[in-house]
Amino acid sequence: MQGYRGHQQNHGPNRSGNQHKGEGPNSNGQQPEQSDKTNPNAALTLDMQSFRKPGEKTFTQRSRLFVGNLPTGITEDDLAQLFSKYGSASEIFVNKERGFGFIRLENRIIAEIARAELDDFSFRGRPIRVRFATHGAALSVKNLPEFVSNELLEEAFSVFGQIERAVVIVDDRGRPTGKGIVEFTGKPAARKALDKCNDSAYLLTAFPRPITVEPMEQFDEDEGLPEKLVNKNQQYHKEREQPPRFAQPGSFEYEYAMRWKALMEMEKQQYDMVDRNMKEAQEKLESEMEAARHEHQVMLMRQDLLRRQEELRRMEELHNQEVQKRKQAELRQEEERRRREEEMRLRNEELMKRQQEGFRGGFSDNREQEMRMHMGGHGMPMNRNSLGGSSGAAGAAGMAAESSPLMAGPGGGSLPVGGQGGFPRGLPVPGPGDYNKQRRF
C-alpha cells in the first residue's frame, strides 16, 4: 500500500532528535516500561456531537488512518485502546509482522484531530506515524461543464455504485474549474466507472462534451516532508554541502543555471502555446458544433414535417377509402332499390295482365249464357261454337245464326228474332250505326 511504502522508506530505527522527552534511559540506564509512561490523551474525551456536520456520511474512506512503525506484537485491541479517545472505530487492521495498521474513525474532523495528536507519539517506546490512508476508490473528473454541481456529479456517478463524496473543485472566487472528485465506497465501483467512462462518451448536460475520468493522484499538502523524514543517505550529504544562495554571474553554476532557466522558460512557452492551440481548437469545435446542431435541428424538423405529411397522406387515403366504401354501399343500395322497383313493376304488370284476361274471359261466359237462355226460349237449337268468334265450321255456324229471320225494328230495320233483337239483357239496344261495332265485339 502507498502509505505503507512511505513508512518503509521514512521510518527505521529511532534516530537522535526524534526521541520525545522522557524517552531516554532512566537513572539505572534502562528504558522505562510502558506502564511507567502514560498517554497524555488518555484522560481526555471528545464530545462527538460537536464534530458532526448535518447530513455528513460517517466512517468513510476520508476518515481512514494509516498507523505505521507500530511496536512488535501490537494487536487490534491495543490499537483500538490507543484511539479510544476519538470514539468508536468501524475498521481496525494490524499487520504484526510489518508493524503497521489501519483504523477508520467516525468522520474526517475527528480523524484529523487524532492524526494531529498521535502522529510521532511514542507508543511503547516507538514513535508511531499517523497519516491519512490512500483512498483507493477515488477518481478525478475533468472537462466538467460549467453548470455541474456537487449534487449533479454525485447523481451522475451513483449509477456505478455507492458514493461517499462528490465535489466540484472551484477557485478562490467560487467559480468552477472544470474538475471534480468522486469517491466511492469500494474499488469495484470505481473501476467500473473508470472503464465505462473511458470506453464511451459520458455526457452530464446538454453540452455534448464528454468528461474524462482518471484515478486521482493523492498528495499530502498538509504536513509535507519534515526534515526528520528525509532519507539521509550519501547523496543527501553531498547535496547539503552548499547552503541556499544566488548564483554569481560569470561562475560555472550561473552559466548552467541560466541554461536551465531558459529551458524551463521554453517549456512554459510550449505549454502556453499548447494551451492557446487547444483553446482555439475548442472554440472552433464549439462553433462547428453549434452549426451542426442547427443543421441537425433543421433535419429533425424536416423529418418531423415529412412524418406529419406522411401521416396526413395516410389519413387522406383512409378517408378516401372510407368515402369510396360509402359510395359503393350507396350504389349497391340504389341498385337494390331499382331492382326491387323493377320487380314490383313487373309484378304489377303481370297482375294487371291477369286481371284483364280474367275480365275478358268472364264477359264472354256471361254473353254465351245469355244467348243460350235467349235462344232456348225460342226453341232454337244451339251450338256452343255458334256463339264464339271461331274460324272454320264455327264461323259458318255463326253466319247461319246471323241469317236467321229478322224482325222489323224501328225505322224499318230488321232485328233478329227473340227478345231484344238477340242482345243480352241489360245492354242498350244499338242503333243502325252501331250494328257493325256489335258484330266486331
Side-chain angles (χ1 to χ4, degrees):
M1 304 184 70
Q2 192 174 18
Y4 174 72
R5 289 196 298 268
H7 157 66
Q8 291 293 325
Q9 295 175 359
N10 299 329
H11 291 280
N14 293 338
R15 298 182 296 271
S16 60
N18 294 338
Q19 302 290 340
H20 286 257
K21 293 181 180 181
E23 291 184 10
N26 55 16
S27 58
N28 297 330
Q30 297 178 352
Q31 293 289 342
E33 297 293 335
Q34 179 65 24
S35 58
D36 298 335
K37 186 175 181 63
T38 59
N39 186 349
N41 300 326
L44 301 176
T45 57
L46 297 178
D47 183 11
M48 300 303 163
Q49 297 293 336
S50 302
F51 301 99
R52 292 174 182 171
K53 296 180 180 179
E56 182 184 11
K57 297 179 181 179
T58 58
F59 300 104
T60 64
Q61 289 280 351
R62 286 172 49 79
S63 61
R64 187 168 177 258
L65 295 174
F66 166 80
V67 185
N69 200 30
L70 290 173
T72 304
I74 197 73
T75 64
E76 284 82 359
D77 294 335
D78 297 333
L79 190 61
Q81 182 64 28
L82 179 63
F83 284 85
S84 61
K85 168 189 173 180
Y86 308 101
S88 60
S90 66
E91 175 191 356
I92 299 177
F93 170 78
V94 173
N95 189 324
K96 299 179 181 179
E97 297 178 356
R98 306 180 67 174
F100 71 91
F102 293 95
I103 185 169
R104 185 178 304 197
L105 301 180
E106 184 173 353
N107 56 47
R108 177 79 177 188
I109 298 178
I110 295 176
E112 289 178 351
I113 296 174
R115 174 181 176 274
E117 292 182 351
L118 295 181
D119 185 33
D120 208 22
F121 173 74
S122 180
F123 181 56
R124 295 186 181 180
R126 300 185 66 175
I128 61 175
R129 186 65 176 157
V130 181
R131 287 180 176 269
F132 280 101
T134 303
H135 201 311
L139 299 177
S140 174
V141 185
K142 299 179 181 179
N143 294 329
L144 288 175
E146 181 180 359
F147 300 100
V148 174
S149 62
N150 298 340
E151 292 77 8
L152 179 58
L153 185 63
E154 181 175 358
E155 179 185 355
F157 279 86
S158 61
V159 298
F160 305 107
Q162 187 176 359
I163 292 178
E164 290 184 349
R165 188 172 73 112
V167 176
V168 175
I169 300 175
V170 296
D171 59 11
D172 56 345
R173 298 184 180 181
R175 295 174 298 186
T177 60
K179 300 178 182 179
I181 299 174
V182 177
E183 297 174 353
F184 290 91
T185 57
K187 291 183 179 180
R191 174 57 59 183
K192 180 181 179 182
L194 183 63
D195 295 340
K196 188 67 176 177
C197 292
N198 290 335
D199 294 341
S200 58
Y202 195 29
L203 308 178
L204 302 190
T205 62
F207 190 73
R209 183 178 65 185
I211 60 174
T212 58
V213 180
E214 300 174 353
M216 188 176 69
E217 297 181 3
Q218 302 184 29
F219 305 97
D220 186 358
E221 300 177 355
D222 297 329
E223 183 177 358
L225 181 61
E227 179 68 22
K228 61 184 178 180
L229 299 180
V230 177
N231 188 12
K232 297 179 177 61
N233 53 19
Q234 184 178 0
Q235 185 67 21
Y236 166 82
H237 294 288
K238 183 178 179 181
E239 292 290 338
R240 290 295 185 92
E241 290 178 355
Q242 295 290 337
R245 66 201 180 281
F246 285 101
Q248 295 296 325
S251 63
F252 172 80
E253 61 182 6
Y254 179 82
E255 178 184 355
Y256 278 90
M258 296 306 293
R259 293 176 66 177
W260 276 107
K261 193 172 182 180
L263 180 61
M264 289 185 290
E265 184 65 24
M266 183 184 300
E267 181 183 12
K268 181 178 179 298
Q269 293 176 1
Q270 293 292 332
Y271 278 119
D272 292 341
M273 183 180 299
V274 171
D275 291 339
R276 287 195 301 270
N277 294 337
M278 289 300 300
K279 187 175 181 180
E280 292 176 359
Q282 290 177 359
E283 293 176 353
K284 181 179 179 182
L285 182 59
E286 288 181 2
S287 60
E288 292 177 356
M289 182 186 63
E290 290 298 328
R293 176 184 293 177
H294 179 71
E295 293 179 359
H296 180 67
Q297 292 177 352
V298 171
M299 183 186 66
L300 292 179
M301 294 176 62
R302 186 180 295 109
Q303 291 178 355
D304 184 68
L305 179 60
L306 293 176
R307 181 180 58 82
R308 291 175 180 272
Q309 290 178 350
E310 182 65 20
E311 290 180 358
L312 181 61
R313 186 186 63 80
R314 253 193 332 266
M315 293 177 63
E316 290 179 353
E317 289 181 356
L318 294 176
H319 177 70
N320 294 335
Q321 292 177 1
E322 188 68 22
V323 171
Q324 189 67 21
K325 289 180 181 179
R326 286 200 299 267
K327 288 182 177 181
Q328 292 178 359
E330 292 176 356
L331 289 176
R332 287 194 296 269
Q333 292 177 359
E334 182 67 19
E335 292 176 357
E336 183 68 19
R337 185 182 62 79
R338 290 179 180 179
R339 186 182 60 82
R340 288 196 300 268
E341 290 180 353
E342 184 67 18
E343 292 179 354
M344 182 66 70
R345 186 182 64 78
L346 294 176
R347 285 198 299 269
N348 291 337
E349 292 179 356
E350 183 69 20
L351 182 60
M352 292 176 63
K353 184 177 180 181
R354 290 180 180 178
Q355 289 178 355
Q356 291 176 359
E357 290 178 353
F359 174 75
R360 290 178 180 177
F363 181 76
S364 301
D365 292 341
N366 291 335
R367 182 181 177 188
E368 181 181 359
Q369 185 177 2
E370 289 179 357
M371 291 294 292
R372 285 180 179 178
M373 292 175 62
H374 177 72
M375 296 178 67
H378 291 79
M380 296 177 62
M382 182 176 179
N383 189 355
R384 181 177 181 86
N385 294 330
S386 62
L387 297 178
S390 302
S391 60
M399 293 297 294
E402 289 181 1
S403 62
S404 58
L406 299 176
M407 294 180 60
S414 296
L415 294 174
V417 179
Q420 303 259 341
F423 291 95
R425 291 189 180 93
L427 294 176
V429 178
D434 295 334
Y435 181 69
N436 292 330
K437 294 181 181 180
Q438 183 67 26
R439 287 185 62 190
R440 284 195 299 271
F441 181 76

